[in-house]
Amino acid sequence: MKKSLIAILVAGLMAPVLSFAEKGDFVVRARATYVTPDETSHLIQSSFPGDKLTVDNNIIPEIDFSYYITKNIAAELILATGTRHDVNIAGPDAQKLGSVNLLPPTLTLQWHFNPDQTFDPYAGAGVSYVRAMDNGLATTWAGHPVAAGSGIHIDRNMWGPALQAGVDVNLQDKWLVNFDVKKIWFNTDVYLNPTTKIDSLDIDPWVVSFGVGKKF
């Protein structure tokens, strides 16, 4: 019996020591992120019957920074390289319009349910600012030139709310593995020229990320 207890104690001492986040910690994560728009096109059907705009998916690298206000509450700033998406017309006037490059920094406030456990799930909410680093699309529609002096384009700046859920898997030496899902809502107006609005396009992407992190 004594030998068994000694063996259990030795095994416990030799077991890997996991590292959990504490108040005042910073966490840096590097993730691969899949951005899939859940778009809704409101193309003016009286002018373009049967047509709608579509936005394709993309995978991008992403880095984020978290600061633990307490063990349970963390603020996270998500930064990413620009996410480039092709924009197309689907319908009778089907054509490729080109692509736009969107930069989507997002700030969320998270609640960590089990901060001192191997699996640390969390939920968060915040706001996303989306900057169209290039917002110009085609210069023709269905083979016809757009009004002189301007092509089809979207808004340069967009804002929207964000919800988030994920889990950190705590490892040794302050490392962790992370899985994260966000839903971001934002929309943009689409113009044929500076004064002719043709669509109010809700992009509303799902943002799914997987990566590793380090506590400091």
Side-chain angles (χ1 to χ4, degrees), residues 18-213:
L18 302 183
S19 182
F20 307 118
E22 301 286 345
K23 176 182 176 181
D25 280 357
F26 283 94
V27 177
V28 180
R29 301 179 187 85
R31 302 189 283 208
T33 296
Y34 179 62
V35 182
T36 176
D38 184 20
E39 75 272 24
T40 302
S41 176
H42 304 278
L43 203 62
I44 299 173
Q45 292 301 304
S46 60
S47 301
F48 311 102
D51 288 338
K52 65 177 182 178
L53 298 184
T54 64
V55 184
D56 78 342
N57 307 327
N58 198 6
I59 298 175
I60 59 171
E62 178 243 282
I63 188 168
D64 67 84
F65 303 89
S66 293
Y67 175 73
Y68 279 76
I69 302 167
T70 71
K71 276 190 173 187
N72 294 94
I73 301 173
E76 182 182 80
L77 177 63
I78 299 103
L79 301 176
T81 59
T83 171
R84 183 168 290 280
H85 298 275
D86 292 334
V87 181
N88 303 304
I89 304 172
D93 298 310
Q95 78 175 76
K96 295 181 178 179
L97 289 182
S99 63
V100 291
N101 194 13
L102 306 177
L103 185 66
T106 303
L107 179 65
T108 62
L109 192 66
Q110 301 171 341
W111 176 261
H112 288 254
F113 299 97
N114 295 300
D116 293 326
Q117 304 296 323
T118 302
F119 292 92
D120 176 12
Y122 58 84
V127 63
S128 182
Y129 164 64
V130 182
R131 170 76 174 176
M133 292 185 291
D134 56 358
N135 64 339
L137 292 166
T139 56
T140 64
W141 184 287
H144 301 290
V146 177
S150 178
I152 301 167
H153 62 281
I154 66 171
D155 292 328
R156 180 69 74 180
N157 302 294
M158 294 151 274
W159 293 86
L163 292 179
Q164 175 186 40
V167 61
D168 286 329
V169 182
N170 292 302
L171 306 175
Q172 300 178 65
D173 300 323
K174 298 190 175 183
W175 287 95
L176 59 87
V177 173
N178 174 262
F179 177 74
D180 184 272
V181 178
K182 299 180 193 69
K183 177 66 173 180
I184 300 173
W185 290 267
F186 70 92
N187 60 65
T188 182
D189 291 332
V190 184
Y191 299 88
L192 273 176
N193 56 55
T195 58
T196 305
K197 176 181 170 181
I198 60 171
D199 200 349
S200 178
L201 181 64
D202 301 329
I203 299 177
D204 301 346
W206 288 96
V207 181
V208 182
S209 304
F210 180 78
V212 297

